[in-house]
Amino acid sequence: MAESEEMYARFSADLEGAATRSELAAVQNRHLGRASRIKEEFRRLGELPEPQRRARASMLNDLARRMREEVDGRIEAAQAAESEQRLASEWLDMSLPGQAPRRGAWHPLTEVERRCLEVLRRLGFERADGPEVEDPYHNFDALNIPQHHPARDMQDTFWLDAGLLLRSHTTTIQARVLSARPRPPVKVAAAGRVYRNEAVDATHMAMFHQLEGFWLEPGLTMGHLKEILVYVARALYGRRVKLRFKPKYYPYTEPSVGLDIACTACGGEGCEACHRVGWVTIIGAGMIHPAVLREFGYDRDGVRGIAFGWGTTRMTAQWLGISKVRSLYAPNQRRLAYLHRGVA
């Protein structure tokens, strides 16, 4: 019995230190193979007298069966673990849709909007959206445009029932974001359709697209604003684009500036795309008006804001070198495909 316990103890120690199937197979061969000690003991049974031989054979058989059951169980468990690991590494979800090549292309307006948002995303701006059906407070009053303000005539829009209206600019999203009182710094970009009750001609539409961004943080200055505008313009039009700033007026910024670029179609010489003036205003911007900051409770702790925006409709027209923005909204797929070559 002492000899049996010694052989089993050595087997258990070797089995405990084996993890993989190859290591377990080596343990099995070492303790149960032809050259193992237990096999040697079986071969020596003939040297013993009958009663002793029978008792020793029974003990060796029990020991061999016990060791074989344990090592077989460990080998089976190791095999299952390795199979599970291999399946996990080679797993493929056949229910996922295939990666088919993209067909068609984005509408030029959508392509330009996506590029503009990508530029602002590099600067840390987060996308926000708002409703196209607005109330007068978020469209006018909260943005320093009271009822008697002349800008209400310039931004005359379409009025709906219950005193609602179609938003005349995407600055309504700025009003909605700030009304939630987020803690500075706040950097938000917004884009979408806007509506104005204008006579439709070659350069004006009753519905068009805008995109804007605003940044709220203590210590902001006009220097931050100009640096952002120059970065955005060069990222969209190239580093060699000619730029100029000029004073502007917007009711929700003070002071206000406009950023012009030399017409991309003529290089500033004057053509139909720029109406023969050579320059096109692409971005209107300024420091957020103190009245707007006061309206939303940010007139404290040195918080300042900058805001800037542009019409993606006009920007797309500049990109494509066309003078009639109406063609961007025409349901002519061949025409849009032809125009898209200038953006791709």
Side-chain angles (χ1 to χ4, degrees), residues 224-271:
H224 295 93
L225 176 61
K226 292 181 66 176
E227 187 66 25
I228 285 182
L229 298 186
V230 170
Y231 177 84
V232 169
R234 288 178 174 171
L236 294 172
Y237 290 98
R239 298 195 59 82
R240 296 185 178 182
V241 64
K242 298 179 182 178
L243 306 173
R244 73 178 185 185
F245 287 95
K246 64 183 180 183
K248 295 281 285 185
Y249 168 77
Y250 302 106
Y252 27 80
T253 55
E254 178 64 35
S256 304
V257 296
L259 177 63
D260 294 357
I261 65 168
C263 177
T264 58
C266 63
E269 297 297 326
C271 65

Side-chain angles (χ1 to χ4, degrees), residues 110-120 236 319 343-344:
T110 305
E111 182 72 28
V112 170
E113 182 178 289
R114 285 163 57 89
R115 291 190 179 193
C116 294
L117 289 172
E118 175 58 32
V119 171
L120 295 180
L236 294 172
W319 235 320
V343 184

